[in-house]
């Protein structure tokens, strides 16, 4: 346990962490069947810039971030559900009329503590997380974004209802 804590501290205080931040997303996912309640979802992520020395990506103004996320939601039975996700994100930034905007997308892996989300049968606890976001940078280290996240097992299991989550996020970078 000490080694894990030491590793986390080294990451947080390394040179890499100078372009890192925290992100909180509050979202909603709809139920599949009429009569079931939608679920409120929360995603808390540590985001770090991967210094990819790829001239093709940087020539096009694309950066790569890695998101390490914790997921939380309650289903219609009011059971607490949790998950963790690791998702690399590709980001394109541009300035439009003096406002810094960005669009980003990525596909990662997720592990959840159950295979049911609201009334959707996911077929596995291991999922893919597909994420798209559109946002604005406020000052130098604040961001606000709208996101769409899809979780599914890509038909690797017999059941695969999948679930979509739409949210609003706030990020702070140091």
């Amino acid at each position: 346990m000490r080694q894990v804590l030491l590793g986390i501290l080294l990451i947080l205080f390394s040179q890499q962490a100078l372009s890192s931040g925290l992100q909180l997303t509050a979202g909603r996912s709809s139920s599949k069947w009429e009569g079931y309640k939608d679920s409120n979802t929360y995603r808390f992520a540590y985001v770090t810039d991967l210094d990819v020395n790829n001239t093709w990506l940087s020539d096009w103004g694309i950066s790569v971030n890695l998101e390490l996320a914790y997921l939380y939601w309650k289903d219609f039975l009011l059971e607490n559900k949790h998950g963790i996700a690791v998702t690399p994100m590709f980001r394109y930034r541009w300035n439009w009329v003096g406002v810094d905007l960005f669009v980003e997308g990525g596909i990662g892996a997720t592990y959840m503590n159950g295979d049911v989300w609201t009334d959707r049968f996911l077929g596995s606890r291991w999922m893919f997380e597909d994420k798209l976001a559109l946002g604005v940078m406020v000052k130098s280290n604040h961001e606000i974004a709208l996101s769409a996240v899809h979780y599914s097992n890509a038909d690797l299991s017999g059941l695969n209802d999948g679930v979509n989550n739409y949210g609003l996020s706030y990020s702070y970078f140091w």
Side-chain angles (χ1 to χ4, degrees), residues 21 48 54 87 123 136 147 164:
T48 186
N54 184 321
T87 306
V136 61
S147 64
N164 294 320

Side-chain angles (χ1 to χ4, degrees), residues 24-124:
L24 176 62
T25 304
R28 201 145 171 89
S29 61
S30 62
S31 61
K32 180 179 178 181
W33 304 107
E34 193 172 318
Y36 286 88
K37 293 182 179 180
D38 295 348
S39 62
N40 293 324
T41 60
Y42 303 94
R43 185 177 186 274
F44 183 71
Y46 172 75
V47 181
T48 186
D49 182 33
L50 296 178
D51 190 17
V52 179
N53 292 324
N54 184 321
T55 57
W56 184 83
L57 289 175
S58 59
D59 286 348
W60 285 93
I62 298 172
S63 61
V64 182
N65 292 331
L66 182 66
E67 294 184 1
L68 307 171
Y70 168 76
L71 315 167
Y72 171 81
W73 73 98
K74 286 187 176 187
D75 66 14
F76 68 96
L77 297 173
L78 299 178
E79 293 180 359
N80 294 330
K81 304 290 180 146
H82 307 275
I84 55 171
V86 177
T87 306
M89 299 293 291
F90 294 89
R91 174 181 282 206
Y92 177 73
R93 292 175 46 184
W94 73 96
N95 187 288
W96 180 69
V97 192
V99 178
D100 287 324
L101 302 171
F102 65 89
V103 62
E104 63 183 3
I107 299 174
T110 303
Y111 180 78
M112 300 180 186
N113 71 339
D115 60 355
V116 176
W117 186 312
T118 310
D119 60 344
R120 296 176 185 270
F121 297 99
L122 302 175
S124 173

Side-chain angles (χ1 to χ4, degrees), residues 121-123 127 150-163:
F121 297 99
L122 302 175
M127 299 283 129
H150 175 74
Y151 296 97
S152 80
N153 66 36
D155 287 330
L156 297 175
S157 175
L159 297 172
N160 186 27
D161 284 341
V163 65

